[in-house]
Structure formats: C-alpha cells, structure tokens
Amino acid sequence: MWLFLVALSLALGLLWVYQHFQQRYQFWAKLDVPHPEPAFPVGNVGDTLKPTIHFAYIIDRLYRELKHHGDYVGIYFFRDPVLLVLSPDFARTILVKDFNYFVDRGVYSNEAVDPLSANLFFMEGNRWRQLRAKLTPTFTSGKLKAMFHTIVDVGMRLDRYLADRCTGQQHYEWI
C-alpha cells in the first residue's frame, strides 16, 4: 500500500512539474512575440546538456535559425523566458535609449566569492543605476576623442610586447 502511495505521489509531482513548465511556455505566446516551440524540460537550449557544445554556439545556432523573424524573438532557457535580440539597431535601442527598463539582466554574480563580477555588466538594481550614472559622463564623445591617442599608444605597446613574447624575446620594458 505504501509503495502505491509513493508511486502516486511521485506521478502527481511529475505531472505538476510538467504542467508548470507548460504554463511557463505560454509566456511569449501571450505577448504575441515570435518564438520557437520549446521542448520540455530544456526549452530551446537542449544542447547545453551536451558537454562538447559551448553555450555561445547554441545561441549562434538560434540566432541563425531565427534572424528572419525580425528584431527579436522569445526563447526559453529551461523554464525561464529570455528575449533574444536579433538586430543591432534594436540592441542599440535597448542598451542606450531604453536602458532603464532593462536593469536586471538575470546574470548571476557573487561579489563576495568573485570580486571581478561586481562590474556594470553583472550588477543589478540600484547599484547598477548608481555605477552607470557615475560612468556615463566619462564616455562622452569629447572625452573619448581626448583619450584616443593614449588608447592607440597603449595598444601599440601591447602589440609590440605580445610580438616580442611570441618570438621569444623577453627583455621588453613597459615604460
């Protein structure tokens, strides 16, 4: 009897999980956003379970398959809906004009474990807004023009340094 109850509980639990995923998979359809049909339970990124395929190749494949749909499409990363931007103009609109609406990008970071993850690309919420407000005046066109020669000079020195390292000459000085 107890074995039957365990099996019934397990079956009901799996049915609930399946129904939950199917409900989540209606997100883009409700918003009339074009999207490929997701597969339970991996969504549109089933190849992530293969250890030989890098995630960048999966996104590249999705981009190539879906780029004819317009500026954007909706995909599912397992159960989570993700907006995949397909056109550079739409990406510019999101990153420049409408940046206030896209504060939380869902990228995991843990500053205590990995201090380098506390940067503008990974931060969320008010910390992101404050840092962006501080950095925005730094990258005006006038200031970038003033830094251009310095950036080119440092790039040339880095190029020479790497060229020397590749040929085996390790006597290069940075100054």
Side-chain angles (χ1 to χ4, degrees), residues 47-64:
D47 291 340
T48 56
L49 301 177
K50 297 177 183 175
T52 57
I53 300 177
H54 192 273
F55 187 69
Y57 292 114
I58 297 167
I59 295 298
D60 182 57
R61 179 185 53 82
L62 284 169
Y63 170 77
R64 291 178 190 281

Side-chain angles (χ1 to χ4, degrees), residues 111-129:
E111 188 176 351
V113 175
D114 183 14
L116 294 178
S117 70
N119 63 56
L120 192 60
F121 296 107
F122 297 131
M123 285 184 170
E124 295 183 345
N126 286 333
R127 291 191 64 216
W128 177 83
R129 287 175 207 250

Side-chain angles (χ1 to χ4, degrees), residues 10-11 16 24 30 38-39 67 95 134 136 142 167:
L10 184 62
W16 180 84
R24 292 289 289 190
K30 289 178 184 176
K67 66 182 176 181
L95 294 173
K134 286 181 184 177
T136 299
T167 59

